[in-house]
Amino acid sequence: VQWPLPDRFCLFGFVGALIVRSRHLMELSDDVEIRKAAEGDLGYATTVLGKEGSVDFLDSSPWPVSILDAYLNINETNFMTYSRYSVEHPVPPPAVPLQ
């Protein structure tokens, strides 16, 4: 395979652009059509990363977005990044020792 690809398409850059666009659309307006566009971008971002995120390598890429940024914001009214979500909703320690 020749690198870079002849069309110079970057899947993770495309997904990053969809997530950034949806974030701005969500903050821009409460208009139903604009919200539908943001929802469509988030849905498409998760779709192009494959079934169950099978080609989701965003966490090991330099792109500052995560597939979780998309999943967290589907059907939401205010955009929240995964890093902010993990601070506001920390995972509690195990109730039973794991050893």
Side-chain angles (χ1 to χ4, degrees):
V1 174
Q2 177 189 3
W3 191 257
L5 297 174
D7 65 0
R8 303 183 65 80
F9 178 76
C10 176
L11 175 64
F12 305 120
F14 178 66
V15 170
L18 288 171
I19 292 172
V20 168
R21 180 177 184 260
S22 68
R23 180 180 187 167
H24 287 282
L25 289 173
M26 289 173 77
E27 293 175 357
L28 181 67
S29 172
D30 290 329
D31 182 86
V32 174
E33 293 304 313
I34 292 176
R35 293 290 178 159
K36 283 183 185 178
E39 190 80 16
D41 286 354
L42 293 170
Y44 195 60
T46 59
T47 300
V48 298
L49 291 176
K51 185 176 181 180
E52 298 177 1
S54 58
V55 293
D56 173 27
F57 299 106
L58 280 169
D59 291 338
S60 59
S61 78
W63 292 100
V65 295
S66 165
I67 193 172
L68 297 174
D69 292 327
Y71 283 132
L72 285 173
N73 290 289
I74 292 175
N75 296 323
E76 293 296 325
T77 54
N78 296 314
F79 191 91
M80 180 181 286
T81 62
Y82 173 66
S83 57
R84 191 172 93 203
Y85 179 86
S86 63
V87 169
E88 291 182 17
H89 303 90
V91 176
V96 178
L98 297 176
Q99 302 222 11

